[in-house]
Amino acid sequence: MRIQIGRRGTGSGTDTREGADEPSGRDGTTAGRDRSRTPVPGPRAPHAPESRRGWSGPRRTAGAIGEFGPGGRFAGLLASPWWRGVAAVVAGALSALAFPEPSWWWFAYVSLVPWTLLVRTAPTGRRAALDGWLGGLGFMVAVHHWLIPSLHVFIVVLAALLGLLWAPWGWLVRAVLGGSPSARRAAAALVVLPSGWLMVELVRSWQGLGGPWGVMGASQWSVPPALRLASLGGVWLVSLLLVAVNTAFAVLISVARARVVAAVGLALCAVAAATAWTWAPRPAPAGRVRIAVVQPGVFAGPDSVERRFARGAELTRALRGQDLDLVVWGESSVGADLAARPDLAARLASLSRAAGAGILVNVDARTTDAAGREGIFKRSVLVGPDGPTGDTYDKMRLVPFGEYIPARTALGWVTSMGKAAGEDRLRGTGQVVMTPPGEDAGGPRTGTVFGPLICFETAFPDMSRQLVRNGARVLVAQSSTSSFQGSWAPEQHASLAALRAAETGRPMVHATLTGESAAFGPEGERVGTPIGTERRGAEVYTAPLARGTTPYVRFGDWPVRGALAVLAVFGAVVGVRSPTRPSPAPRVPPARTAPADAADPGPS
């Protein structure tokens, strides 16, 4: 007599648990088993239902749907760690196409999908973190590739260090989307993954790590609904929306059981954008301001500073009779301290009288500040018809490696490899607002009271927000991207002014030595014609002024605080539920069989 013994509690010889070992029959079913043999049952691994497994990670045996999962088109290729690493670098780099100069703003809504699909199929959490790091490396190199002539191979080192910030995000992707996630886990991913991404952007926005250049939300600088969102929560809110949309598309493609959740998520994102466009407060018109930008162009050679000054003076003199409120020269437009060169100060005063407006120049020279510190400063100086007015602003946030070397004693060797700063510039101590000559802040004309920013500082939303809180009616940026002509950098830099204008509800003028110079209204809309890198000349921009305060100026970085709260709740859920999950048991080996007479010798 032959006896078939099934697993305990199942009533059959088939383990019906999800993720169980494949049947041993030749035809893929239990029918292929030799029923003349009696299985010798081994120890049974405990099984916890989905409700008790918590958020401790996906099941390793669960299949992934799509091109990257088992059976997918790229599954065999991605089984190689090296090819998988290459795929992660390329997937991370794709998002650079959403920024200027390509400006494929629409691509930002799907550019993270390949990276997300790749990371969610990682076999382990460690591999997911590695895929996150490599994708971050690819993203940083692609967005900052125009720095290669200055930093050479060192840009890869910097990108690799900054790319580490995406390693936790990679782990997070696998934690919530790996394996075969439930609809509940997929819904959580729509808020957890954007929050995790925002933390990456927040950390790398620290000045010492390079600043917030290339945050995802900045790709939407020309999209009016996105700019309206920026007035509510800054560029951070736009980034949250973009990553949420990318996550929803990734779920829609790869998780069949959660496609309804993904569709609902996409609909909610569309509703949020439409609501912001319809109901967000708009700046109230309050007159206009006329600001001229002087762009002398590229000059090279030993006397380039003097020739550039002469060209700027010629262009400024031609602005006579334009009814201007202010004339702005670009960064490093004056190469000597005006206190030490009274002849230059006198020439600028004469130009102010000719133009009928104050002139904001930028001095890049060795000088002394109010605190008695001596060194090289990047300083905005306001000059009126009688000479310098006394209003100055020293650049506070310097460009790493371009204007100072972090930890110079350890990294000073970088100067031998590229165009890194030979001497550290000194930082300013505080932001200021300026009043053009002939206008009192309490008088009848206060529309041209402005807040200056210098170059790299336009990437920091907190600085423009603080200037508006201090009373600025106009934001003015002085910049120079002459080292990066012919690259994506000039357009990327100019586009940041649109975001700062929309966030604060104030017009912003971006003046450069060599292009691209541009102006934007209080809703981030373009004003006038930009001066491209191929042009030399002056342009007068008539920008609308606005009164009132945007929600972003009033409430600050509330999306960041919300993202922190989401991650705190997620961490608490993981911490509470993880202890309830049974300890993983070793994989049960296939059951061994024995002849029936060995299992039951019968009567002797």
Side-chain angles (χ1 to χ4, degrees):
M1 173 176 129
R2 309 277 182 182
I3 301 174
Q4 174 71 36
I5 301 178
R7 293 183 185 267
R8 183 183 308 171
T10 64
S12 71
T14 303
D15 187 348
T16 59
R17 294 174 293 147
E18 179 182 355
D21 293 338
E22 290 294 324
S24 58
R26 295 180 182 273
D27 61 351
T29 68
T30 56
R33 293 184 178 177
D34 183 1
R35 296 185 180 273
S36 67
R37 301 285 183 175
T38 302
V40 179
R44 179 176 180 271
H47 169 63
E50 176 74 21
S51 61
R52 290 178 57 80
R53 287 169 10 102
W55 297 93
S56 54
R59 299 172 183 173
R60 186 176 299 184
T61 57
I65 300 172
E67 300 293 316
F68 298 97
R73 184 180 305 173
F74 304 113
L77 189 63
L78 297 181
S80 164
W82 295 103
W83 281 113
R84 187 179 183 91
V86 171
V89 172
V90 173
L94 290 176
S95 293
L97 297 174
F99 296 88
E101 180 171 336
S103 287
W104 295 356
W105 61 266
W106 50 267
F107 189 55
Y109 293 87
V110 294
S111 62
L112 297 178
V113 172
W115 190 7
T116 304
L117 293 177
L118 175 69
V119 174
R120 72 175 291 270
T121 63
T124 65
R126 180 177 298 181
R127 181 68 221 194
L130 179 60
D131 290 342
W133 171 46
L134 293 174
L137 185 155
F139 176 78
M140 294 302 292
V141 170
V143 171
H144 299 86
H145 71 275
W146 41 268
L147 285 172
I148 293 176
S150 298
L151 298 180
H152 301 301
V153 71
F154 191 65
I155 190 175
V156 179
V157 178
L158 291 176
L161 292 174
L162 292 173
L164 287 171
L165 296 173
W166 276 274
W169 185 77
W171 178 91
L172 198 62
V173 170
R174 183 180 182 275
V176 294
L177 286 182
S180 182
S182 65
R184 183 184 62 183
R185 263 210 288 156
L190 296 180
V191 292
V192 171
L193 294 186
S195 298
W197 181 278
L198 198 62
M199 291 304 101
V200 175
E201 292 193 337
L202 180 68
V203 173
R204 78 177 182 89
S205 294
W206 179 51
Q207 176 199 343
L209 293 180
W213 192 291
V215 298
M216 281 297 291
S219 66
Q220 305 301 294
W221 66 277
S222 61
V223 183
L227 292 173
R228 192 69 59 82
L229 276 175
S231 72
L232 296 176
V235 69
W236 313 117
L237 184 58
V238 183
S239 286
L240 277 175
L241 178 75
L242 286 173
V243 182
V245 171
N246 276 272
T247 303
F249 276 123
V251 172
L252 195 66
I253 292 170
S254 62
V255 186
R257 71 173 70 177
R259 283 173 178 162
V260 172
V261 171
V264 171
L266 289 172
L268 289 176
C269 290
V271 168
T275 301
W277 175 256
T278 305
W279 298 104
R282 307 184 69 168
R288 62 181 180 86
V289 62
R290 286 175 58 81
I291 298 178
V293 171
V294 173
Q295 181 174 302
V298 177
F299 287 87
D303 60 344
S304 59
V305 175
E306 290 77 12
R307 289 190 292 123
R308 183 169 59 230
F309 185 98
R311 178 60 173 163
E314 177 185 349
L315 293 171
T316 302
R317 197 172 292 111
L319 294 170
R320 185 189 304 270
Q322 296 283 338
D323 187 26
L324 301 174
D325 295 291
L326 185 67
V327 178
V328 185
W329 288 18
E331 180 186 17
S332 303
S333 49
V334 178
D337 180 15
L338 294 181
R341 290 287 303 274
D343 58 318
L344 292 181
R347 289 176 65 183
L348 289 169
S350 174
L351 292 173
S352 175
R353 291 192 294 271
I359 302 175
L360 185 71
V361 299
N362 189 272
V363 176
D364 185 1
R366 189 173 301 279
T367 184
T368 304
D369 69 354
R373 296 181 301 159
E374 183 177 353
I376 301 177
F377 291 85
K378 289 286 186 77
R379 176 173 293 174
S380 297
V381 179
L382 184 61
V383 180
D386 300 322
T389 65
D391 286 333
T392 64
Y393 167 67
D394 293 331
K395 186 176 183 179
M396 297 173 61
R397 296 184 182 174
L398 305 175
V399 179
F401 299 98
E403 294 171 334
Y404 78 103
I405 305 295
R408 181 176 283 272
T409 55
L411 299 176
W413 55 270
V414 176
T415 59
S416 64
M417 298 180 58
K419 301 177 183 178
E423 179 180 350
D424 291 348
R425 268 58 174 173
L426 298 185
R427 304 175 190 276
T429 57
Q431 292 185 267
V432 301
V433 293
M434 300 182 181
T435 304
E439 299 183 18
D440 296 324
R445 289 187 65 201
T446 60
T448 52
V449 176
F450 64 92
L453 295 166
I454 302 176
C455 192
F456 181 56
E457 294 177 331
T458 62
F460 295 88
D462 63 301
M463 295 194 74
S464 53
R465 188 177 77 243
Q466 187 60 50
L467 287 173
V468 172
R469 287 177 171 177
N470 292 345
R473 302 292 305 282
V474 182
L475 300 173
V476 175
Q478 296 174 295
S479 177
S480 173
T481 53
S482 55
S483 299
F484 309 109
Q485 297 295 99
S487 74
W488 296 1
E491 288 192 34
Q492 284 186 12
H493 200 180
S495 69
L496 297 174
L499 287 160
R500 303 292 87 88
E503 289 170 341
T504 59
R506 298 291 184 268
M508 184 165 182
V509 174
H510 179 80
T512 72
L513 291 178
T514 58
E516 180 173 325
S517 299
F520 300 89
E523 294 186 70
E525 74 278 17
R526 189 181 287 280
V527 173
T529 303
I531 312 176
T533 56
E534 72 286 353
R535 287 181 54 196
R536 297 182 181 183
E539 191 79 24
V540 177
Y541 296 101
T542 302
L545 292 170
R547 60 175 177 268
T549 304
T550 64
Y552 179 64
V553 171
R554 184 178 300 117
F555 301 114
D557 298 327
W558 62 265
V560 173
R561 296 191 290 272
L564 282 169
V566 167
L567 293 177
V569 170
F570 177 76
V573 170
V574 171
V576 168
R577 294 197 176 193
S578 291
T580 67
R581 183 182 183 182
S583 299
R587 182 181 293 273
V588 179
R592 292 180 293 107
T593 61
D597 56 349
D600 183 9
S604 56

